Amino acid sequence: QVQLVESGGGLVQEGDSLRLSCAASGNIGRTYIMGWYRQAPGGQREMVATITTGGNTVYAESVQGRFTISRVSAKHTVYLQMNSLKFEDTAVYYCNLYQITSSGNYWGQGTQVTVSS
């Protein structure tokens, strides 16, 4: 089993910045993808950004240039630096870890990000 613990959400104004953190623990393999997803009220969960153990990143078009995903491999920790936040970034943000060898897929409990206009 893998456990994910997120932190860093909160209430900010448009244009502000926030940094989310996610620490993974448990039976973690050598190759995996970690990422951030979000779900706005009434909406579907969508990918925000992902990063592989090799350091390759993918971003949603809506956050490209504003958000940066990074990791500390030794700590199985991933961060999401969110700059120039917009009202439409308001959502619950979920950390995800996908184990490539076992196809195990794990989610954190979610952290609320609210951007006021």
Side-chain angles (χ1 to χ4, degrees):
Q1 256 314 350
V2 173
Q3 296 78 41
L4 302 173
V5 178
E6 303 131 332
S7 61
L11 172 63
V12 297
Q13 294 185 331
E14 280 194 316
D16 285 351
S17 298
L18 271 179
R19 187 193 195 207
L20 305 182
S21 300
C22 174
S25 61
N27 188 19
I28 301 170
R30 295 183 64 181
T31 56
Y32 54 86
I33 301 171
M34 286 189 78
W36 291 94
Y37 291 71
R38 67 187 181 186
Q39 187 166 13
Q44 293 188 333
R45 193 171 296 189
E46 62 177 5
M47 187 276 291
V48 176
T50 62
I51 187 166
T52 68
T53 44
N56 294 314
T57 58
V58 176
Y59 293 92
E61 187 175 342
S62 60
V63 306
Q64 188 81 38
R66 298 189 298 122
F67 291 9
T68 302
I69 190 169
S70 60
R71 62 182 171 83
V72 177
S73 297
K75 296 183 178 180
H76 301 302
T77 299
V78 66
Y79 305 95
L80 185 68
Q81 178 66 41
M82 305 185 293
N83 298 329
S84 302
L85 282 161
K86 302 177 181 180
F87 175 75
E88 50 264 41
D89 294 319
T90 296
V92 178
Y93 284 70
Y94 296 92
C95 181
N96 174 266
L97 185 148
Y98 174 73
Q99 303 246 54
I100 294 174
T101 52
S102 67
S103 299
N105 197 37
Y106 304 92
W107 294 94
Q109 78 284 359
T111 185
Q112 178 71 47
V113 172
T114 302
V115 184
S116 62
S117 59

